[in-house]
Structure formats: C-alpha cells, structure tokens
Amino acid sequence: MTQAVNHVALLPLYAAAGTAILVLLADLTLGRFRTAAGVLGGLATAVCAAVTSSAGATFCTGAACSWVPSRPAATVAVLFAALTVGVLALSVPALSARALPPGEYAFLLACAMTGGVTVGYAGDLITLIVGLETLTLPLYVLVGLRRPAAALTFFVISVVATAVALMGAALVYAASGALHLAGLRAAVLAADGGPMHPVATVGTWLLVIGFAFKVAGVPLHAWAAPTYDGAPMPVAAYLSTASKLGGVIGLTVIVARLDTGPLLAVLAVATMTVGNLVALRQTRMVRLLAWSSVAQAGYVLAPLAAGADGVRAALAYAVLFVTLEFVAFGAIIALRPPDADGGTLNDYRGAARRSPWRGAAFVLAVAGLAGLPPGLAGLFAKVTIVGSLIGDGWGWLAAVVALNAVVALAYYVRAAAVLYAGPTGIAVADLRPPVFAVRWPVATAVIVAAAVAVALGFAPQLLFDALTA
C-alpha cells in the first residue's frame, strides 16, 4: 500500500536541507556568498517551521507517526535556526580572515541545523536518534578544523554514546514492541510486572545515559573541555548551545514517557558537582565555560528527576541557559583576534576597559548564568527549578542545586572581575576608570540592561507555553 506523504509538514526539513545544498552550490559555482546563503536558509527554515506548526503529521502507521508538527516542534526548529544564523554571524571575522574555510564551514553548520530540526519533529526513537546524530556528525569535522586531536576525542566518546542509546532503543523495543513516542508509555506500562519489564528498565536507563552525552552529563562529560578548547570558538559556541539543546530535547522526550527518576537524580548531582568543582581550577576561559556548561547541564537534569512534572522547568531553564551561553561566547569571540583561541583568563585582563560594551555583555551573561543581578532571568530560572523540585517532593535535590549555585559564584565572579582588573603590578587606585563610567551611555546601559532583565524574567512562562503546548 502506498503511503501518502504530507510535504507541507516536511517544509522545515526541506528548508534546512536545502540550505546545505544552497551553500554548497554557492561555493562551487560562485565561490562567494556562502555565509549569506546560510543565513538566508536559516531564516527560511524558521519561517517554514512557524507557518507549518499546525500541519498534519506524516509517515504514519495507524495513529502513530514518525514526523509530528506541533507548536513545540516549531519552537525547537526556530531555536536551532536562530542559533545557526547567530553562529554564522559570530564567524564572519574568522571567515573574512580565512582562518576558517567559508564553504565547508557554512555547509556543515547547515547540515547540523538539519539534524536539529529533525530532533524537534521526531515522532519515534529511531528518528530522534538519527536527528541527534545528524546534528552531531558535522561537528566532528568543524571541531577538527583547528585541532584534529580534539575532534578525535569528541568522535570516540560520541560513538560510544550512540551505541549505548541504540542498545537502549533496541531493548525498549524488544520489551514493549513500540518505537513511536505516542504509544511508548502505554506499551512499557503494559510490560510492567512481566518477564520483559527488567529489559525495558535497562533500555530506558541506556537511552538516558546515551542522550546525556549530548548535554555533557556525567559519566559522558570528559569530552567537553578539550573539545570546546580545541575547536574554533564559534564552533565551541555551537557545541555549547545547539548541540546541548538537542540532547535536552532527547532527554525530555524519554523522561516525559518513561520512569527515570532515581537515575536522573544521581546524574544531576554528579554532573553539577563535578562541573562546578573542576571549573574552580580552570585558568583558560573556554575551558572554564565548558566546565560551567557541564554544571549547567546538571541543573537541567535535576527537575527531570521528577519525571513529566519537571519537563517544563527543565526546558525553560535549558533555553535560557543556551541564550546566556551564546551571549558569553559571543562576547569572548568579539574580544579575541579572529584567528586566536580562547586564551587564558589573564589574556582578558582589563579587556572591559578597552571594550566596555563587549565586557558588559559578558558580565551580563555570566551574571545570568550565576543567577546574580542584573541577570534576573538566570535567578528566576534557578528559583523555578528549586520550586519545581520542592513541589514534587525532591527537597534534598533542591538543596544540592542551591549549594552548587553558591559554589559556582566563585568562578563566575572571577571570570567577570578579570575583565575589569588592572595590569599586573599596577594598583587599581592608579588606574583610570572605564570609559563608559564617566559618560552619559552608562545611564542608557543601566536602563537597557534592567529592561532586558525584566523582560527575560517573564520568559520562563512564555517558554513553558510554547514548548509544552
């Protein structure tokens, strides 16, 4: 029997894949306009996702479908498209300086965006895993553009994680006979108490551990620091945002349907604690942000311990974290030469005095990650997580989150303070104040920062509605 395909529902995928083809053709025929093609394709993908959010599902077997358009799926696609366009914009100085190959770079980013779109619309475990791998595979090459050894580390651990996730999907299918997400929970519950229930439990745990790689969760976290530090900085920004968002989506899909509470609680505690403690010892900026992102992954995993009840809080926190992390990476990229790596913390000494607005953007981002004013969005997000855990009876886990947030203040404050520090051997009192501290733009900056912070403070509820409609 021939199955009808809803091509309207597939428009976001066509737009994302078409972006990669358009970039490739621009590179082969014109030798220019690759970045522009990538940006236009990303915008087209976002538009297609927005206008087809109510299109019918396709690739269906009965009531179960493998491609499911919805408001949350469209939101995810728009986020991936926005991150791809943003990273292309951050890469313009390096591309102009020929520090990165323009054609290959834009093509691989477009391929990764295609995987991200697939993750959002996936209606079964196989489509979800294929989407995650399509998101990740181009990143191996992008990481290796500057340091191949970092790409090798990333590749080896990723292969292990993928094998673990596929084994988990196979065991869940063997125990329940279901792969489509729509019927996964009912099928697994039907096996409860039967001889295949332990198989389903092990399969669920393997899926969680495999997807935890994408968010750099313990025990598959060691790749993050060497990979981020070895990759070109715009690629590190993409890894820390888009790749991590894909892993969060995969985890929430599993958590919303299968019982994973105790395992996720253990992973959350280990991830946030290891990330924060190791970040305290870092002297390189990108490595500090990498270990910080490991700790932030722990905060995302924490509310998922409560199962489906914690998905809303985890998704909202993940999107806010991705936004702030992108701003932090954008600031340090702007503060460094186009062909340079992330450098040490001392390389940023006094950078905010030379570039006040870039320094202010970095401080605002790390303040949000730490949950300090004026980054009120980060504070509200952490309060949302703690409130969600307490409301669901996970008070001890909420206490661990709060304790780790306090520990994280040490390295966030250190990273921000070094931008305003004076040169070694010169007393701070002998230095001139930053330029913007004595001119009228300071008032404007304070007002704008306050307005942005207040606006982002309302973002969690808006994100809840969009991502969980």
Side-chain angles (χ1 to χ4, degrees), residues 38-348:
V39 170
L40 290 175
L43 295 176
T45 300
V47 171
C48 288
V51 300
T52 61
S53 61
S54 59
T58 190
F59 300 125
C60 299
T61 302
C65 300
S66 295
W67 189 267
V68 186
S70 63
R71 283 181 59 198
T75 303
V76 171
V78 169
L79 286 171
F80 276 108
L83 289 171
T84 303
V85 170
V87 169
L88 280 171
L90 291 179
S91 307
V92 168
L95 294 172
S96 300
R98 296 293 176 177
L100 296 171
E104 295 87 339
Y105 185 82
F107 171 75
L108 290 168
L109 275 179
C111 291
M113 178 178 67
T114 305
V117 171
T118 304
V119 169
Y121 286 83
D124 62 64
L125 288 177
I126 299 304
T127 304
L128 179 63
I129 293 174
V130 168
L132 285 171
E133 289 311 298
T134 306
L135 170 63
T136 305
L137 282 171
L139 299 179
Y140 302 150
V141 183
L142 289 171
V143 169
L145 290 177
R146 193 169 75 85
R147 191 178 299 169
L152 182 60
T153 302
F154 184 29
F155 172 76
V156 170
I157 300 180
S158 179
V159 167
V160 173
T162 301
V164 170
L166 285 172
M167 177 60 73
L171 292 178
V172 168
Y173 178 73
S176 64
L179 281 176
H180 288 91
L181 303 179
L184 189 61
R185 181 177 182 82
V188 172
L189 288 176
D192 191 10
M196 298 300 288
H197 179 64
V199 176
T201 301
V202 173
T204 301
W205 288 1
L206 291 178
L207 277 172
V208 169
I209 293 172
F211 289 161
F213 161 80
K214 306 297 181 183
V215 299
V218 172
L220 299 174
H221 66 288
W223 64 273
T227 301
Y228 287 22
D229 199 28
M233 282 199 288
V235 176
Y238 200 79
L239 279 167
S240 185
T241 54
S243 180
K244 187 153 292 191
L245 181 62
V248 171
I249 299 301
L251 282 170
T252 55
V253 164
I254 300 303
V255 168
R257 293 165 175 83
L258 303 175
D259 182 18
T260 58
L263 174 63
L264 276 170
V266 172
L267 291 181
V269 171
T271 301
M272 70 179 79
T273 303
V274 169
N276 281 324
L277 292 180
V278 180
L280 291 171
R281 303 176 53 193
Q282 300 307 306
T283 59
R284 294 184 61 82
M285 181 63 82
V286 172
R287 280 183 174 265
L288 185 147
L289 289 177
W291 284 107
S292 158
S293 75
V294 172
Q296 296 288 340
Y299 302 146
V300 175
L301 293 173
L304 294 179
D309 294 335
V311 167
R312 290 159 59 93
L315 284 172
Y317 189 89
V319 174
L320 289 172
F321 156 72
V322 163
T323 303
L324 294 169
E325 188 84 350
F326 183 83
V327 173
F329 268 100
I332 66 171
I333 289 170
L335 289 169
R336 297 287 288 165
D339 57 347
D341 60 9
T344 66
L345 291 179
N346 282 332
D347 292 332
Y348 295 85

Side-chain angles (χ1 to χ4, degrees), residues 366-402:
V366 296
L369 292 172
L372 293 174
L376 297 181
L379 175 62
F380 292 161
K382 284 185 170 60
V383 170
T384 299
I385 284 179
V386 171
S388 173
L389 289 170
I390 293 175
D392 292 323
W394 292 82
W396 68 270
L397 187 51
V400 174
V401 169

